[in-house]
Amino acid sequence: MNTFKYIVDSIDGDYAYLRKLDEETGEYSEELKLVARALLPPEIMEGTMLLYEWMQYSII
């Protein structure tokens, strides 16, 4: 099972841009991942930390 941590970088309408946390270095990647907000918890805002596991996002 893979788990990943993300931070919500920005929100643009029905989509959010997520930045992945590199567990080894503790730094966030430069690449942004575009995710439909329907797949994310409704209470997210910019700066929210997310955990992705079992094909679901949850707030940390």
Side-chain angles (χ1 to χ4, degrees), residues 3-50:
T3 61
F4 302 103
K5 292 182 181 176
Y6 292 94
I7 190 166
V8 178
D9 188 72
S10 62
I11 296 173
D12 185 14
D14 290 335
Y15 296 91
Y17 291 94
L18 307 181
R19 199 172 293 273
K20 185 177 175 184
L21 175 66
D22 184 343
E23 296 286 337
E24 293 177 12
T25 64
E27 296 181 7
Y28 289 98
S29 69
E30 291 297 317
E31 292 183 36
L32 294 174
K33 178 178 181 177
L34 182 64
V35 178
R37 288 189 63 193
L39 300 174
L40 302 171
E43 56 273 354
I44 65 159
M45 49 186 166
E46 292 179 4
T48 302
M49 295 286 302
L50 298 171

